[in-house]
């Protein structure tokens, strides 16, 4: 076979493949073995008709279509191998001339391939890295948050409701003097000032006395999720049953013992500082790594394939739809709520998709340039990690599943990209700065 490569715009190439007469004959021989199993000719057992008889009966052309089906993929794959190309879409195949026994055969394959990435500097970078220092006021804020989480609601002897109190109410809502579904509740606890109810509802409760009733007039927002209520005026008949207040525990030794068996409040503060320091270090390390990778990507030169970006956009939309399902929503309901089309939401994912594709291409090329390989131990560690994440009993079963679905290669690629990312970080000099 002979090959010729023509580079086109936007990562497309045209591969011209010429198959000599001898290879054409080989394809015809293989074609005969396939076709002869499908025909019936009186006087011959099925599958045993001599080729000459077969061609005389049906014409030599009977073998041509099958022979072309043999030549095209074989020649195309050999051309990719010859020029070390990685296609990212299906090729468009064009036959240049009629197929004929005893003559060479030529065809052209046009296909989008991975771009040639010209790597810039990715070793010896200098990147700012925030200095990790947990201040006393940060510990105090964390402690206050912990106190808040352990607060209890207790019955108050207040007569009138104030902002910040918790109102225990019965209520029923009416639109056009008719009750509506989901508009009533008994002994509902509502924090006044939380903004968790319809605008104007909580404000009208302030000053209300325990044991009294009140009619509240409100208007549902125009963008309210329920279309049958959006923009409608409503009346809520409310009864205030109780007033509760949040009782926050004191930050003392007793509190320290109750939340973690610490001997004193100072021991609890020291533990909070240690954990906050570790979290801050992890965040700083992740930010440093990402900044270094971003710089390496910025330094590289290549044309990002539109096909890969579109594919990534669709993947991000699919994940988004999956997350919506966990929240009990469908994509159609979400689109109706945000007043967007599916195409518009898909387009919203373009910047993130573009970033991901560019990053993966650069990391993949760095891994190739640095001759990185994945050990069996690294693969097993990743599979074990995934098995634990998805609560599977063992990684061997997960590996078997991934192999059967042809997905193990994507796991290997993910490991390779992680190694390239780590390589950039390890070869980057941190410049410590005050946060």
């Amino acid at each position: 076979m002979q090959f010729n490569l023509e580079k086109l715009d936007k990562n497309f190439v045209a591969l011209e493949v010429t198959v000599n007469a001898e290879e054409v004959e080989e394809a015809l021989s293989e074609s005969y073995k396939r076709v002869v199993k499908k025909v019936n000719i009186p006087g011959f057992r099925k599958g045993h008709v001599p080729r000459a008889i077969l061609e005389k009966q049906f014409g030599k052309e009977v073998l041509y279509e099958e022979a072309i089906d043999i030549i095209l993929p074989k020649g195309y794959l050999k051309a990719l191998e010859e020029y070390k190309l990685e296609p990212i879409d299906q090729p468009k195949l064009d036959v240049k001339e009629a197929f004929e026994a005893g003559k060479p055969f030529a065809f052209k394959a046009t296909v989008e391939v991975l771009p040639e990435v010209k790597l810039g500097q990715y070793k010896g970078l200098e990147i700012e890295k925030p200095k990790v220092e947990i201040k006393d006021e940060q510990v105090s804020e964390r402690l206050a948050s912990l106190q808040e989480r352990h607060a209890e609601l207790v019955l108050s002897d207040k007569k009138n409701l104030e902002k910040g109190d918790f109102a225990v109410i019965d209520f029923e809502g009416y639109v056009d003097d008719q009750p509506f579904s989901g508009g009533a509740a008994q002994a509902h606890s509502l924090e006044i000032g939380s903004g968790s109810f319809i605008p104007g509802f909580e404000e009208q409760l302030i000053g209300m006395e325990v044991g009294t009733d009140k009619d509240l007039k409100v208007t549902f927002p125009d963008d309210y999720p329920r279309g049958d209520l959006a923009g409608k005026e409503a009346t809520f008949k409310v009864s205030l049953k109780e007033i509760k207040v949040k009782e926050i525990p004191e930050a003392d030794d007793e509190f320290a013992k109750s939340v973690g068996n610490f001997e004193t409040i100072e021991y609890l503060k020291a533990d909070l500082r240690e954990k906050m320091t570790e979290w801050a270090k992890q965040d700083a390390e992740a930010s440093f790594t990402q900044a270094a990778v971003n710089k390496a990507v910025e330094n590289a030169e290549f044309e990002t394939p539109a096909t890969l970006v579109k594919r990534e956009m669709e993947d991000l939309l699919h994940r988004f739809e999956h997350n919506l399902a966990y929240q009990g929503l469908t994509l159609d309901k979400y689109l109706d709520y945000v007043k967007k089309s599916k195409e518009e939401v898909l387009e919203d994912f373009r910047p993130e998709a573009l970033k991901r594709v560019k990053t993966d291409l650069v990391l993949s090329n760095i891994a190739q340039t640095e001759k990185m390989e994945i050990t069996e131990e690294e693969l097993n560690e990743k599979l074990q990690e995934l098995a634990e994440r998805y609560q599977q009993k063992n990684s061997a079963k997960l590996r078997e599943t991934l192999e059967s679905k042809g997905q193990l290669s994507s796991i290997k690629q993910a490991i390779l990209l992680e190694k390239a990312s780590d390589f950039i970080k390890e070869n980057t000099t941190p410049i410590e700065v005050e946060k």
Side-chain angles (χ1 to χ4, degrees), residues 112-132:
E112 188 178 10
V113 297
L114 285 179
E116 293 181 13
V117 177
K118 184 180 179 182
L119 293 173
Q121 183 183 8
Y122 63 88
K123 292 187 283 190
L125 297 170
E126 293 185 350
I127 300 293
E128 289 186 353
K129 187 176 184 180
K131 181 181 179 182
V132 174

Side-chain angles (χ1 to χ4, degrees), residues 374-391:
I374 302 167
T375 65
E376 192 66 20
E377 183 181 358
E378 288 170 332
L379 178 58
N380 288 335
E381 284 178 5
K382 174 60 72 173
L383 291 172
Q384 184 60 41
E385 176 190 322
L386 292 173
E388 291 172 1
R389 185 186 305 173
Y390 297 115
Q391 300 180 339

